[in-house]
Amino acid sequence: MGKWIQALIYFVLRRLLHRRYDVEVLGLDKLEKLAGPVLVLPNHPAYVDPPIVLSHLRFGKSLRPLVFTDTYRSPLFYPLMNVIDAYEVPNLQSHSRDAHAKTTQLIEQVAGELNHGQSFLIYPSGRLQRQGYEIVGGARIAYELLERVENVNVVLVRTRGLWGSRYGCAQEGDVPALGRNALASFLWILAGLVFFLPKRKVTLEIHPVDRADLPMESKTALNRYLESFYNADGGETAKYVPYSYLFGPRDFDYDAVKRKGIVDLSEIPETTIREVHEILEHRLDRPLEEKEKEPGTTLDLLGLDSLERMDLALELERQFGFRSDHVPASVGELCLLAAGKAPTDEQPLEVPEGWEDEKKPSTNHPEVLAETIAEAFVRRALQSANHTAVADTLSGALNYRKLLVGATLLSKRIAKLEANSVGIMLPASVAADSVVLATLLAGKLPVMLNWTTGPAGLRHATEKLEVTHVVTSKRFMDRLGVDIDGVEMFYLEDVREGISTWEKLQTLIATYIAPGSFLRNIPQPNPDDPAVLLFTSGSENLPKAVPLSHRNLIADMRGGIDHMDFHRSDTLLGFLPPFHSFGLTATALMPILSGIRVVHHADPTDSRMLARIIAAYKPTFTFTTPTFLQYIVSSSEPGELESLRLVMVGAEKCPASLYEQTMKILPQLDLLEGYGITECSPVVSGNKPGHNKPGTIGLPINCVETLVVHPETHQPLPQGEAGLLLIRGASVFNGYYKYDAPQPFLEVDGHRWYNSGDLVAKDEDGFIQFRGRLKRFLKIGGEMVSLPALEAPLAEKYPADEEGPKVAVEGIERDGGRCIVLFTTQEITLREANDLLKQAGFQGIMRLDEVRQVEAIPVLGTGKTNYRELRSWIEEGSEVAAKS
């Protein structure tokens, strides 16, 4: 019965297509004697050629077409897919390891079906033609199927007459919108009264080929053979066929479309382009010819199939730090991705329903309502149940009631995990907030894992903390491409599937009729017990485990709220990752516990999207690093950032050039510099709105005391003199976890102080001036040489931009003397660099010994310069390109 239904459908389809297409089939008689499974391999000039081929190849066999999932699942075609026995294929235009694995599995399954007698229609190129000829390139599906299936009839089909159709790429320069064009065609058919349409002449040339005659020595050989068949007549020139004899357009400017599609690389740094070429050459295992370096050269032409293009795009993402959901198809698009300028959807973002919180809080003062994190959250959620709490572009907007329900349901699953410590590896998001809160509600210790440290760093962290389970997302891990040995992944997608609608409903109802039950079920830790475990940045040494207690975190939140005079009516943009101490405390826990709305974005380097989120969600303040702020400011369009009234930057010195650039476009903004350190939960000091001294890191917040002492004698120093910064107070941690070396505390004046390792000075008003890391000083001839001080004038001359920092200074002391090196992405000689230092007032020993030009300054996931890696380069003598 199924075959008769298919035959009827194809008959009707043939009659419908005949209204527009005059189809001539050449060589159909050659198929009559084929016995066994058949593999039909056509070229692919337009979306309309599959129904034409399927409905006109009538030779007594049912052909199963392979259909990409976007088309397969579309409302327009989905009802027919099962009837014609189509085979769904994952769409590799959106790249991921999951799609890669599914495609490999697909090839195995189709090969199995062929071996069992099924017949298939498969397009070897795997995509629509982008020009008037077919490029199979490095596609692997035809070769791998023929490698696995020996007893199969191969039928090649060359389609002519469709290039230039609205269903191909010629009219738009890219894949056309199928639904929109189908609707337009339908309206034209109605306008032409069905029977009065000009017809497009289409020819199908059919050539059965003995499998033994195919060049199967390699994928490349087979693909070149197929291309030579498809393009035997030199390819096609785009032809326009009107839809009416009486009205409508009579011609189309295809050349204008070609000009519009040219990729402009004029603003891409030459170093980035060269590096992309080198990566390509490594992939191809051969040098690129000059013509192959042209931006318009397609990756197909270079021999890269869809899976290889996807792998290449993921490699570029990991190396350059920029993301795109679009798989590059040409050399030029690879360069755009590497430079963070890949095409994006620039439609205005739609704010999710529920984000605009119309309910006014009873008080405008943010307040943390308890002494432990879990209790503070539950009390806030019950008090502000219907107020908006968090949002992101994936989860939408959640009020406190929904956040409490979600965290409670998740906590029941996390509570069943054996170990007390639970790893968490998620970017800034509603999911990350929910998981941290759920872990605490479950009575477990959240361990925030820094995925930018790579597999070795993650393994070190999980082993040190005896983590057996890591809570994460399949979507995130699929994109990240990082594996952790020795732990079990606890995927949020699996958890959601295991929660019944009835359980969700019960928990939701409880928030109305039994809110006290949530308070009764909260774990009751001591406020001095660890609430979360973070790791130091590792910019200068191996990361150390930092346990922060409930008292530490809540004291810091309360101190920061009072210091900055935040309001409940404020809205925060949070995009720093939660493994970053500022990202966890300031942009996740603080707003949620105190009642301030927060919108998250997962990628701090996705500057264009961050600017668009600010334009849509209208946040009033954010916390960031100067590097990430530079990205946002450089990528924003006029007016997009106007909702911001306050930006606090820290983690590195804010360059004067960035301050000036930001204030120029946002003159009403309070751009404040602050100082924090993971061990202090993290905020220690900051400038205040209306009380700001640019160039300083502000005044200490009210939960800490600070003291400046001599770096060697540890004696307190007078005002204005630079020395070592010591800190004490409720927000200061109690010592590193499982740490064999001495803990970072000093006894001074009868008190125990945390030794920050940073050099500062206090002015007459108590404002702190940051002078650099003590470890980033070299003692030469009895004098202290500040590496940050040497770096500052160079960074002013060559400020960081969306590509990252352009200069960094690092040095070491050797037996034969010192070695202070300027690492730079710019063309600077040693003499030019030292002349800049002289102009800034440095002399004598305050100079550089060497300049090394590098492709990029290494940075950590937080955006900080990775000085530890730079120091290793000096010690190992690598990355050398000295300029005298």
Side-chain angles (χ1 to χ4, degrees):
M1 181 64 72
K3 288 185 178 181
W4 287 107
I5 294 175
Q6 281 189 20
L8 176 62
I9 288 174
Y10 287 141
F11 171 77
V12 174
L13 183 60
R14 206 160 48 245
R15 301 315 302 163
L16 290 174
L17 289 168
H18 185 64
R19 299 301 96 209
R20 172 62 172 166
Y21 301 99
D22 181 10
V23 182
E24 181 182 12
V25 184
L26 304 176
L28 188 60
D29 56 308
K30 299 176 184 178
L31 306 181
E32 294 176 356
K33 297 181 180 180
L34 294 182
V38 176
L39 184 60
V40 177
L41 304 174
N43 62 318
H44 199 5
Y47 271 137
V48 75
D49 68 78
I52 289 176
V53 173
L54 283 167
S55 61
H56 285 80
L57 259 66
R58 308 185 307 279
F59 58 101
K61 291 186 181 294
S62 176
L63 283 178
R64 297 190 66 184
L66 264 63
V67 182
F68 278 118
T69 189
D70 292 351
T71 304
Y72 188 100
R73 297 280 172 179
S74 71
L76 189 63
F77 299 108
Y78 188 65
L80 284 175
M81 291 297 105
N82 284 330
V83 178
I84 66 173
D85 205 16
Y87 205 106
E88 187 175 4
V89 180
N91 189 348
L92 297 187
Q93 292 304 308
S94 180
H95 52 291
S96 68
R97 293 193 302 164
D98 182 52
H100 187 295
K102 285 181 178 177
T103 302
T104 303
Q105 182 182 18
L106 165 82
I107 291 172
E108 296 292 342
Q109 290 175 341
V110 172
E113 298 282 356
L114 282 166
N115 278 318
H116 284 88
Q118 292 274 356
S119 296
F120 282 86
L121 172 71
I122 295 174
Y123 289 91
S125 66
R127 65 176 199 154
L128 285 180
Q129 288 180 195
R130 265 43 174 196
Q131 48 280 307
Y133 51 91
E134 188 83 355
I135 295 176
V136 182
R140 66 180 64 185
I141 189 165
Y143 177 76
E144 295 203 8
L145 285 175
L146 291 171
E147 274 277 282
R148 290 164 171 77
V149 185
E150 294 184 359
N151 299 316
V152 64
N153 297 286
V154 179
V155 176
L156 304 184
V157 178
R158 180 166 53 231
T159 304
R160 287 291 179 264
L162 292 176
W163 183 243
S165 161
R166 74 184 313 134
Y167 292 105
C169 297
Q171 290 194 20
E172 298 184 26
D174 203 347
V175 177
L178 185 55
R180 172 168 52 79
N181 283 290
L183 176 61
S185 296
F186 177 72
L187 295 175
W188 276 112
I189 290 171
L190 292 180
L193 301 178
V194 180
F195 294 99
F196 302 100
L197 295 172
K199 291 188 177 182
R200 180 180 283 275
K201 175 67 175 177
V202 179
T203 303
L204 303 182
E205 300 177 46
I206 299 172
H207 290 266
V209 181
D210 192 321
R211 187 190 177 284
D213 294 335
L214 293 173
M216 292 299 296
E217 60 267 22
S218 69
K219 176 186 73 175
T220 301
L222 176 66
N223 289 351
R224 296 299 83 80
Y225 174 88
L226 295 174
E227 287 177 351
S228 67
F229 170 78
Y230 297 137
N231 306 317
D233 55 1
E236 291 188 90
T237 300
K239 180 181 179 181
Y240 183 78
V241 178
Y243 272 86
S244 171
Y245 290 108
L246 301 176
F247 50 86
R250 321 305 296 170
D251 202 357
F252 190 89
D253 189 354
Y254 294 103
D255 290 334
V257 175
K258 291 179 182 177
R259 291 192 297 271
K260 187 176 68 173
I262 296 174
V263 176
D264 181 12
L265 300 184
S266 60
E267 296 184 3
I268 308 298
E270 283 296 326
T271 53
T272 301
I273 296 173
R274 284 199 304 270
E275 193 163 354
V276 169
H277 291 165
E278 289 171 4
I279 292 171
L280 261 176
E281 289 175 336
H282 179 72
R283 282 268 171 170
L284 298 171
D285 196 25
R286 65 173 177 82
L288 289 171
E289 299 176 12
E290 284 305 312
K291 65 178 182 180
E292 292 178 325
K293 296 179 181 179
E294 292 295 322
T297 302
T298 65
L299 301 183
D300 280 329
L301 278 175
L302 298 179
L304 297 174
D305 68 12
S306 56
L307 295 184
E308 291 166 332
R309 294 196 300 270
M310 184 174 59
D311 281 341
L312 180 59
L314 290 169
E315 179 183 345
L316 289 176
E317 283 187 3
R318 288 190 288 268
Q319 179 155 338
F320 292 95
F322 297 107
R323 286 174 46 176
S324 172
D325 288 328
H326 170 72
V327 177
S330 68
V331 173
E333 290 181 5
L334 283 177
C335 295
L336 292 178
L337 173 60
K341 298 182 182 297
T344 58
D345 176 14
E346 285 292 345
Q347 295 297 318
L349 293 179
E350 291 187 10
V351 175
E353 184 179 352
W355 171 250
E356 297 296 340
D357 194 347
E358 297 179 359
K359 299 181 180 297
K360 300 298 180 184
S362 56
T363 173
N364 202 28
H365 178 67
E367 184 181 2
V368 181
L369 302 174
E371 304 309 310
T372 63
I373 304 298
E375 183 179 350
F377 165 61
V378 173
R379 290 190 180 279
R380 169 58 61 195
L382 295 176
Q383 186 181 104
S384 308
N386 297 316
H387 289 279
T388 306
V390 293
D392 62 31
T393 54
L394 184 63
S395 300
L398 273 66
N399 61 22
Y400 277 97
R401 189 185 307 279
K402 291 180 180 178
L403 185 61
L404 176 60
V405 169
T408 300
L409 293 171
L410 182 56
S411 72
K412 294 177 181 179
R413 277 74 186 170
I414 293 176
K416 296 177 182 178
L417 302 179
E418 295 178 3
N420 181 57
S421 299
V422 176
I424 298 175
M425 196 160 72
L426 289 163
S429 58
V430 172
D433 295 348
S434 302
V435 170
V436 171
L437 295 168
T439 304
L440 290 165
L441 287 171
K444 305 285 188 180
L445 176 65
V447 178
M448 312 308 296
L449 297 175
N450 180 353
W451 56 86
T452 67
T453 60
L458 289 168
R459 185 168 57 252
H460 164 76
T462 54
E463 288 176 355
K464 190 177 187 73
L465 275 298
E466 299 176 351
V467 170
T468 59
H469 290 80
V470 173
V471 183
T472 186
S473 154
K474 288 180 181 178
R475 179 189 178 99
F476 180 59
M477 292 298 291
D478 186 43
R479 193 62 179 255
L480 202 59
V482 173
D483 296 313
I484 311 177
D485 296 332
V487 300
E488 184 176 339
M489 308 310 285
F490 186 84
Y491 291 115
L492 293 178
E493 291 88 344
D494 296 338
V495 173
R496 292 192 189 102
E497 291 178 3
I499 300 176
S500 67
T501 302
W502 173 239
E503 187 180 1
K504 293 176 188 176
L505 187 60
Q506 280 182 306
T507 310
L508 178 62
I509 292 172
T511 65
Y512 289 97
I513 65 174
S517 64
F518 291 91
L519 287 170
R520 288 193 295 274
N521 292 327
I522 296 172
Q524 297 295 326
N526 187 300
D528 290 315
D529 289 342
V532 67
L533 202 141
L534 297 163
F535 290 85
T536 58
S537 67
S539 62
E540 293 163 1
N541 295 291
L542 287 173
K544 298 182 283 290
V546 181
L548 297 175
S549 70
H550 297 269
R551 189 185 308 279
N552 293 153
L553 293 167
I554 290 175
D556 202 71
M557 291 180 220
R558 288 170 173 164
I561 289 169
D562 292 342
H563 192 84
M564 302 306 297
D565 192 26
F566 294 137
H567 306 132
R568 289 282 304 278
S569 55
D570 275 318
T571 298
L572 169 64
L573 169 65
F575 55 86
L576 296 176
F579 64 70
H580 187 293
S581 56
F582 231 117
L584 179 70
T585 305
T587 69
L589 293 177
M590 184 276 291
I592 290 175
L593 300 191
S594 65
I596 297 172
R597 287 188 307 174
V598 56
V599 55
H600 288 300
H601 184 58
D603 186 356
T605 68
D606 189 1
S607 52
R608 183 69 203 112
M609 179 58 81
L610 285 167
R612 295 175 64 210
I613 287 173
I614 294 170
Y617 288 79
K618 308 295 183 186
T620 55
F621 71 103
T622 190
F623 301 104
T624 181
T625 67
T627 299
F628 293 146
L629 178 61
Q630 179 74 66
Y631 292 166
I632 297 170
V633 171
S634 299
S635 300
S636 66
E637 299 292 338
E640 286 185 325
L641 310 183
E642 287 182 350
S643 67
L644 293 172
R645 70 173 182 85
L646 185 155
V647 174
M648 172 68 78
V649 296
E652 55 188 345
K653 182 175 175 56
C654 182
S657 58
L658 174 58
Y659 184 88
E660 293 167 4
Q661 180 186 6
T662 306
M663 298 310 297
K664 185 176 180 179
I665 66 171
L666 296 171
Q668 304 304 314
L669 179 73
D670 276 315
L671 178 54
L672 310 175
E673 192 167 357
Y675 169 81
I677 193 163
T678 302
E679 292 85 343
C680 297
S681 302
V683 182
V684 174
S685 69
N687 283 282
K688 296 182 176 183
H691 196 40
N692 181 26
K693 275 194 177 182
T696 75
I697 54 174
L699 300 166
I701 64 175
N702 60 21
C703 65
V704 299
E705 295 178 52
T706 60
L707 183 67
V708 181
V709 300
H710 190 280
E712 295 177 346
T713 67
H714 300 157
Q715 293 300 306
L717 293 173
Q719 173 190 303
E721 194 166 331
L724 187 62
L725 175 65
L726 305 184
I727 307 161
R728 63 187 294 264
S731 62
V732 179
F733 85 138
N734 200 39
Y736 299 118
Y737 181 75
K738 289 189 175 181
Y739 187 61
D740 296 332
Q743 294 287 352
F745 299 103
L746 295 174
E747 289 286 335
V748 179
D749 290 343
H751 294 291
R752 183 179 186 243
W753 299 82
Y754 167 68
N755 178 3
S756 71
D758 290 328
L759 296 177
V760 303
K762 289 186 180 180
D763 67 14
E764 64 279 5
D765 298 317
F767 283 79
I768 303 173
Q769 299 169 339
F770 185 78
R771 298 293 177 83
R773 292 288 293 166
L774 180 61
K775 291 181 180 178
R776 299 204 63 234
F777 278 74
L778 300 181
K779 196 165 185 178
I780 301 168
E783 296 291 331
M784 297 292 284
V785 175
S786 168
L787 300 178
L790 291 176
E791 183 178 295
L794 294 160
E796 290 291 331
K797 175 71 173 177
Y798 303 100
D801 58 18
E802 65 269 19
E803 302 296 327
K806 296 179 181 177
V807 294
V809 174
E810 185 53 88
I812 61 173
E813 296 179 49
R814 291 174 170 162
D815 293 339
R818 70 183 201 170
C819 180
I820 300 178
V821 179
L822 167 65
F823 293 90
T824 178
T825 61
Q826 308 300 298
E827 292 280 347
I828 312 170
T829 67
L830 182 60
R831 179 173 296 176
E832 290 169 343
N834 278 326
D835 283 345
L836 268 175
L837 296 180
K838 287 179 183 177
Q839 293 170 19
F842 294 105
Q843 55 187 339
I845 61 173
M846 299 293 284
R847 56 177 168 74
L848 302 165
D849 300 309
E850 187 181 338
V851 173
R852 301 189 190 184
Q853 188 172 357
V854 296
E855 292 289 341
I857 304 295
V859 294
L860 300 168
T862 59
K864 289 183 180 180
T865 297
N866 190 339
Y867 291 105
R868 182 159 63 92
E869 186 171 349
L870 292 177
R871 192 158 58 246
S872 72
W873 288 356
I874 300 174
E875 291 167 348
E876 297 167 4
S878 59
E879 295 295 325
V880 178
K883 295 189 175 292
S884 58

